[in-house]
Amino acid sequence: MTSFRERPSWPSVGYEERQWDGAQDEVGTRPQSRRDLEPYSASVPAFIADLNIPLNDDLNALTEEASSELARFDAEVGHIVGPITSVLLCVESAASSEIEHLRSAAREIALAELGGRASEDAQLIMGNTRAMQAALALSEAIDGQAILEVHRALLERSNPGVVGRWRDEQVWIGGRSRGPHLARFVPPHQDRVPSLMSDLVAFANRVDLPVFAQTAIVHAQFETIHPFPDGNGRVGRALMQAGLRAGRLTRNVVVPVSAGLLNDTTRYFDALSAYRTGDVTPIIRSIAHASFVAMNNGHLLVNDLQAIQIGWRGRITARRDSAAHRLLGFLLRQPAIGARCVGAQLGVSPVNAQVAIDHLVDAGILIQITDGRRNRIWLAQDVVRVLEDFAARARRRR
């Protein structure tokens, strides 16, 4: 029996020398130019498909607790009828994007979802929402093609030239743009990516491993391989959601784990670095801690949204089966609306859609945020406020 002081062992990445010729035509000082033409060290991750996860007693207890709490959160929140599941998916996507320094206000994200004019970051966050949806839809059959589809959903609108295939170039993390020589970490050479991804898929599809630990290691191995030139972090965190869903730890909702990781990104990135040295403990602990933080924050968000809905219903005089009442649920997951999208969502004519909107304006639930009479947009400020509160809690170090 191992004690909690022992470090569970795991193969560390190796390194190999590769020739670099990517900077030959770039301008630089003579010493820089000479160094940039020298060979560099690229990592060589181990194949893990047939390995068992080394869990000591302490780590095993933590994974069991995290698994139990995830299943409980899913059961408690999943029974709520309404748009809560869509909101949790959106806040997870926003938090995962923010880890990559893509940050946008809830109002901007809502405008991007509506198709209105919004910031570039807000548009990219919407791409991440599509990637999360793709990952969940494909969670029953995670293979190489499924991962490529998640990547396509993420970047097909913003960077279509890189989707549909594994990377065909060397990438690196940190350092300088000229080359990988001073990088903090150099993922494997592109020649190794296809076999490493096949190995990762085989590991991800095993059914004899503890699901939570397996999901954490799949994520860490994916980030180590870095199979794409862009979007690896966001795709890797989408795959965590797919792993939790495939392993039946979640069945109904997305637990906003990325919002928990955002709470301490230093710990998260240090854990990924430790994984590459052969220590699985930090990444499993980091994701477990993030899950606990995320579930607490998620409960607060759900309670706030339910309170908003109850308060709104008390302010509307229309019949309970009216379009105005039905519009309330839609506002929780899409707080920025136009008459056209309301009509399509509720299946009513443009005239009746406008009547429903006017009811909510009169009740102080919606405000118009555009000028003029054409292509008007209204906003549910109460929802935007609680989404911003959620994001602020996610950023707050504990």
Side-chain angles (χ1 to χ4, degrees):
M1 180 179 296
T2 59
S3 74
F4 71 92
R5 297 179 184 276
E6 294 179 53
R7 183 182 107 167
S9 60
W10 187 257
S12 61
V13 300
Y15 289 88
E16 65 178 356
E17 188 175 274
R18 288 278 183 167
Q19 189 63 42
W20 177 254
D21 58 5
Q24 291 185 28
D25 298 326
E26 296 187 20
V27 177
T29 65
R30 189 167 297 173
Q32 283 180 330
S33 297
R34 282 199 301 267
R35 179 177 55 207
D36 291 340
L37 294 176
E38 294 174 354
Y40 67 97
S41 292
S43 65
V44 182
F47 289 109
I48 65 172
D50 298 325
L51 299 182
N52 291 321
I53 303 172
L55 298 178
N56 58 31
D57 293 343
D58 184 52
L59 200 57
N60 188 59
L62 178 65
T63 61
E64 289 183 353
E65 181 185 4
S67 299
S68 176
E69 290 302 314
L70 284 166
R72 180 178 303 174
F73 179 91
D74 184 79
E76 290 176 353
V77 176
H79 82 279
I80 300 173
V81 177
I84 300 299
T85 55
S86 296
V87 177
L88 289 171
L89 175 69
C90 290
V91 297
E92 166 66 1
S93 301
S96 180
S97 298
E98 189 164 343
I99 292 173
E100 306 299 326
H101 307 293
L102 301 171
R103 179 172 172 179
S104 190
R107 171 175 167 150
E108 286 291 307
I109 297 171
L111 287 172
E113 185 169 1
L114 181 63
R117 299 180 65 177
S119 67
E120 182 180 354
D121 279 4
Q123 299 289 349
L124 291 171
I125 290 168
M126 286 309 304
N128 200 21
T129 300
R130 292 189 292 271
M132 289 280 179
Q133 292 169 329
L136 293 173
L138 298 168
S139 61
E140 294 292 339
I142 292 295
D143 56 19
Q145 188 58 43
I147 296 171
L148 290 172
E149 288 304 315
V150 173
H151 188 246
R152 182 184 298 280
L154 176 69
L155 293 178
E156 64 180 342
R157 299 186 186 181
S158 61
N159 194 3
V162 302
V163 303
R165 63 184 184 276
W166 309 125
R167 60 178 166 88
D168 57 5
E169 61 191 62
Q170 181 67 69
V171 296
W172 58 92
I173 300 170
R176 301 177 301 128
S177 61
R178 289 176 59 87
H181 299 82
L182 299 178
R184 186 169 67 252
F185 176 69
V186 181
H189 188 270
Q190 58 267 26
D191 292 349
R192 293 186 176 274
V193 170
S195 60
L196 284 166
M197 289 304 298
S198 295
D199 175 78
L200 176 62
V201 165
F203 180 84
N205 281 286
R206 285 175 57 181
V207 296
D208 61 330
L209 299 172
V211 172
F212 188 89
Q214 180 184 25
T215 299
I217 289 177
V218 166
H219 174 67
Q221 182 78 351
F222 179 89
E223 299 304 326
T224 298
I225 299 169
H226 238 61
F228 302 114
D230 185 26
N232 293 284
R234 286 166 286 170
V235 172
R237 287 182 290 276
L239 291 179
M240 278 201 295
Q241 296 294 339
L244 296 176
R245 183 65 59 87
R248 300 295 187 266
L249 295 187
T250 61
R251 296 171 181 265
N252 306 295
V253 301
V254 167
V255 179
V257 178
S258 294
L261 293 172
L262 188 61
N263 188 253
D264 192 347
T265 54
T266 298
R267 176 178 184 169
Y268 170 48
F269 291 129
D270 286 349
L272 288 173
S273 295
Y275 173 83
R276 293 160 190 155
T277 69
D279 188 0
V280 301
T281 300
I283 191 60
I284 295 174
R285 285 190 176 281
S286 176
I287 294 176
H289 174 77
S291 298
F292 296 137
V293 172
M295 285 182 280
N296 181 61
N297 199 359
H299 274 301
L300 294 174
L301 174 62
V302 170
N303 291 340
D304 286 346
L305 290 172
Q306 288 183 301
I308 284 174
Q309 194 168 42
I310 291 170
W312 282 351
R313 286 173 179 163
R315 289 154 62 180
I316 297 180
T317 57
R319 302 187 318 275
R320 277 299 181 95
D321 61 348
S322 67
H325 267 287
R326 289 190 288 132
L327 178 55
L328 295 181
F330 181 56
L331 287 177
L332 291 185
R333 67 174 179 267
Q334 175 50 49
I337 60 164
R340 183 179 301 175
C341 81
V342 169
Q345 176 66 30
L346 302 183
V348 299
S349 68
V351 171
N352 287 334
Q354 190 60 58
V355 169
I357 291 170
D358 291 341
H359 270 301
L360 301 193
V361 171
D362 292 340
I365 294 170
L366 287 173
I367 63 166
Q368 185 174 330
I369 61 173
T370 54
D371 298 324
R373 299 288 299 173
R374 294 174 60 83
N375 300 318
R376 289 181 291 171
I377 297 175
W378 291 264
L379 188 73
Q381 290 183 302
D382 291 340
V383 177
V384 169
R385 173 180 51 80
V386 300
L387 292 175
E388 292 290 1
D389 288 346
F390 174 91
R393 291 192 299 268
R395 299 183 193 111
R396 192 177 303 140
R397 288 289 297 269
R398 293 173 185 266

